[in-house]
Amino acid sequence: MDANTIKEQLQLINSQSEKKHITILGAGIAGLVAAYELESLGHTVEILEGSPRIGGRVWTHRFGNEPDAPYAELGAMRIPSDHQLTLHYVQEMGLADKLCKFMTVFEESNAKMNINGQVLKMKDAPRTLQLSEGGLLTDTRYSEQTRNFAAWLKTIINTIAPGNLRSDFERDLQSHLMDELERLDLNPYFSEDGETIDLHSFLTQNKSFRAKCSQGLDIFLGDIMTETSHDLLQLKGGMDQLIQRLATSINADIQCNAEVVALRVEKDHTQITWKQNGQLHTTNCDYVLCTIPFSILRKMELSGFDGQKLDSIHNTVYCPGTKVAFHTKEAFWQQEGIKGGASFSGEGVRQTYYPSVKFNPERGSVMLASYTIGDDADRMGKMSEQERFDYVQNTVSKLHPELNERGAIVDKASIAWGEYKWSAGGCTIHWDDSESNYLAAQRPQNTLFFAGEHCSRFPAWLQGSIESSLEAVRDIVKHKPATKSTAVNTISRTNRQLVTV
């Protein structure tokens, strides 16, 4: 359903509803979209944000204060072209002219790969992998086409997947996937020169292949279909432009550094306690929309929640993600014909992305030197920041020795989302019984509602956060309040309990 249809439905429901006061917990994309839509429907909103900044896991790091300073996306960095809800808000916030192509993995044939210490161009990697690993990849019981395709698949999964799924793929390949590939007609999925494959088309047109994969690998391949798509977009100038435009489009007061520590669900209201400026504040709220990740929520004092909801909060699995960005004196990789896309740097660094937008050469350039998820991200996240920088520089310099030249790296930035206080994870993983997971996550508790990527069919994407936010708005608007047994306060009133801590 498109955003305009959803909004028409909201208007219809809203016409039969009384005006409400809603306290939103979290000023990420889910919280800001909800505030924007609730206000447009005539409701009153206020926002508490625990961290010192807004945006949640949308975080554009700028290397300088100049308008044209180069930047890196430490959080969300791409928008699939079929994520219509996300694109709707990009357009509504006047940013449609900023949309441009995001060149992703395997789109740049000159990008590099480190295989067992041997550095070569991406297009040459599968053949080298066959020669170095042997085994099934050189087993003459299978056709050359099958062996080549399997080598490409393994190259792609080695590049993108966390360690446990790389192991799953190897196990599936050994037991039955090679036989499945041999059965299929693979010719349509090779490029004319035979050097690359169209993985997106293969997975779309051969659902039987994914059905024969282990469950976690099957769902991950679904993610790969998006990640390797040729139709990914980005916002030139930074993804945080969407956050800033939303924030300036709402009247709601956004209180940062307001750390929620307790939620108590009652029949006709929700009581929240938060810490701010060394004081504890407690108040009762008519309606609360919680967009706080469950990885943080489960550390709070929670009461009045039913058992099924608590199970969802405590059992939702989060995947760590770690990014390291280098501000470089110049875009030296362009001299090797690399215009974007990503290299595979090996070891625990995984993917190295190059900008596919142009920066002012006088300001230098930026490479996302390392983007990892899963166990690789966890190991790197537990390093000190300096250790992380040194490790990434040492690893990526095997692809790009220029990084070790004096003055080549001007500045550095990193984020380990698994260690970040306000998320304790990069995104949720719905790799088991996904529908019941997200439906349980979004299910309200009386007047306490929930939204965020963890409450959606699209974990890890802005689309999921936005969709769940709109669903929560609908549920809040149509909710019929219970008969109030006590007076209900709002954050803006002065009769709060204050306790110095």
Side-chain angles (χ1 to χ4, degrees):
M1 189 179 299
D2 64 65
N4 289 325
T5 302
I6 293 172
K7 289 187 176 188
E8 289 174 4
Q9 291 183 356
L10 286 175
Q11 291 285 356
L12 181 61
I13 297 170
N14 191 64
S15 65
Q16 305 166 25
S17 172
E18 65 178 34
K19 300 309 177 192
K20 297 180 172 75
H21 185 104
I22 303 96
T23 301
I24 296 176
L25 307 181
I29 188 75
L32 294 175
V33 166
Y36 176 79
E37 294 300 342
L38 285 165
E39 285 191 348
S40 71
L41 294 170
H43 302 282
T44 305
V45 174
E46 51 204 349
I47 304 174
L48 294 182
E49 166 58 46
S51 78
R53 52 175 288 277
I54 65 172
R57 281 163 283 177
V58 176
W59 194 337
T60 304
H61 180 89
R62 302 177 190 282
F63 291 99
N65 298 319
E66 303 84 4
D68 61 348
Y71 60 87
E73 301 291 3
L74 297 182
M77 63 181 182
R78 50 205 165 184
I79 304 171
S81 59
D82 61 349
H83 282 194
Q84 293 303 313
L85 293 179
T86 306
L87 294 174
H88 169 83
Y89 287 97
V90 168
Q91 181 170 357
E92 188 142 319
M93 293 298 113
L95 293 168
D97 63 328
K98 301 284 187 179
L99 284 170
C100 60
K101 178 178 172 58
F102 180 94
M103 188 180 293
T104 191
V105 291
F106 306 109
E107 286 199 276
E108 173 55 79
S109 61
N110 291 315
K112 299 182 177 184
M113 177 170 278
N114 186 338
I115 297 181
N116 299 323
Q118 182 179 4
V119 176
L120 38 97
K121 290 186 176 181
M122 191 75 72
K123 63 183 180 181
D124 300 323
R127 184 71 66 184
T128 302
L129 185 68
Q130 285 179 281
L131 296 175
S132 64
E133 288 204 2
L136 286 177
L137 300 182
T138 55
D139 190 333
T140 55
R141 290 178 301 168
Y142 300 102
S143 68
E144 182 179 3
Q145 189 176 70
T146 294
R147 299 196 304 270
N148 291 345
F149 198 90
W152 257 111
L153 274 178
K154 189 165 186 177
T155 299
I156 292 171
I157 289 175
N158 283 353
T159 303
I160 299 175
N164 61 313
L165 291 183
R166 297 197 294 274
S167 299
D168 286 352
F169 176 74
E170 182 63 31
R171 186 168 53 251
D172 287 357
L173 197 66
Q174 293 285 343
S175 65
H176 59 278
L177 286 185
M178 281 293 284
D179 294 324
E180 179 65 13
L181 288 175
E182 182 76 357
R183 187 184 68 81
L184 297 172
D185 177 13
L186 302 174
N187 189 60
Y189 309 110
F190 280 93
S191 61
E192 289 186 8
D193 58 12
E195 292 185 335
T196 60
I197 65 170
D198 186 345
L199 181 64
H200 187 278
S201 295
F202 170 74
L203 293 175
T204 301
Q205 297 169 19
N206 295 279
K207 293 181 172 57
S208 64
F209 179 82
R210 283 180 56 186
K212 288 180 170 60
C213 295
S214 56
Q215 186 179 40
L217 182 60
D218 170 36
I219 296 177
F220 186 78
L221 287 173
D223 291 339
I224 284 182
M225 289 176 64
T226 301
E227 196 156 336
T228 60
S229 167
H230 301 304
D231 298 320
L232 294 174
L233 302 169
Q234 62 184 319
L235 281 179
K236 185 178 181 180
M239 294 289 282
D240 66 346
Q241 295 173 103
L242 180 57
I243 296 296
Q244 298 301 331
R245 294 284 180 94
L246 279 167
T248 57
S249 298
I250 61 178
N251 298 316
D253 177 32
I254 304 176
Q255 297 185 44
C256 288
N257 298 303
E259 179 182 0
V260 177
V261 297
L263 286 172
R264 303 174 185 91
V265 175
E266 304 292 347
K267 179 182 179 182
D268 56 9
H269 66 276
T270 298
Q271 185 181 86
I272 63 173
T273 299
W274 74 100
K275 184 168 61 176
Q276 190 173 28
N277 298 325
Q279 291 182 320
L280 284 179
H281 305 249
T282 296
T283 193
N284 297 335
C285 302
D286 293 325
Y287 290 89
V288 173
L289 173 57
C290 178
T291 70
I292 298 170
F294 282 0
S295 51
I296 303 302
L297 194 63
R298 55 187 171 229
K299 300 175 184 178
M300 300 178 188
E301 177 190 337
L302 305 176
S303 65
F305 290 66
D306 62 46
Q308 184 182 9
K309 189 67 182 187
L310 288 173
D311 286 345
S312 174
I313 292 170
H314 287 283
N315 295 328
T316 297
V317 179
Y318 281 77
C319 178
T322 301
K323 287 186 173 184
V324 176
F326 290 164
H327 176 199
T328 58
K329 182 179 179 181
E330 59 185 357
F332 53 78
W333 50 87
Q334 293 180 357
Q335 298 172 13
E336 299 183 75
I338 300 174
K339 300 180 177 62
S343 286
F344 176 57
S345 297
E347 300 180 33
V349 167
R350 313 306 300 162
Q351 300 167 60
T352 296
Y353 280 87
Y354 310 94
S356 43
V357 296
K358 293 186 181 300
F359 297 125
N360 182 343
E362 294 182 4
R363 309 285 186 201
S365 191
V366 171
M367 64 157 52
L368 185 59
S370 176
Y371 176 27
T372 59
I373 60 172
D375 49 1
D376 296 311
D378 192 44
R379 283 191 294 272
M380 197 178 297
K382 287 180 167 50
M383 298 178 184
S384 71
E385 191 168 56
Q386 189 57 54
E387 289 173 336
R388 196 180 306 148
F389 289 148
D390 292 344
Y391 175 67
V392 171
Q393 181 175 346
N394 179 64
T395 303
V396 180
S397 65
K398 295 173 184 176
L399 299 186
H400 296 294
E402 298 93 335
L403 287 172
N404 290 330
E405 297 176 3
R406 183 181 296 274
I409 300 177
V410 180
D411 200 359
K412 306 170 185 177
S414 75
I415 183 70
W417 289 106
E419 304 296 316
Y420 184 59
K421 178 179 179 179
W422 308 108
S423 69
C427 62
T428 48
I429 305 173
H430 294 171
W431 290 348
D432 295 301
D433 197 14
S434 60
E435 183 173 356
S436 64
N437 276 351
Y438 88 79
L439 291 176
Q442 70 179 211
R443 189 170 59 83
Q445 301 288 279
N446 292 352
T447 62
L448 173 60
F449 296 79
F450 300 87
E453 54 91 20
H454 54 291
C455 300
S456 79
R457 299 175 298 150
F458 303 96
W461 294 100
L462 296 178
Q463 177 88 351
S465 293
I466 294 171
E467 180 184 70
S468 68
S469 180
L470 294 174
E471 289 174 351
V473 168
R474 179 201 62 203
D475 291 343
I476 290 170
V477 169
K478 73 178 183 180
H479 185 269
K480 301 297 183 184
T483 303
K484 299 187 188 305
S485 58
T486 58
V488 176
N489 303 324
T490 66
I491 292 173
S492 59
R493 296 179 187 171
T494 59
N495 52 350
R496 296 176 291 193
Q497 303 169 37
L498 302 181
V499 180
T500 301
V501 293

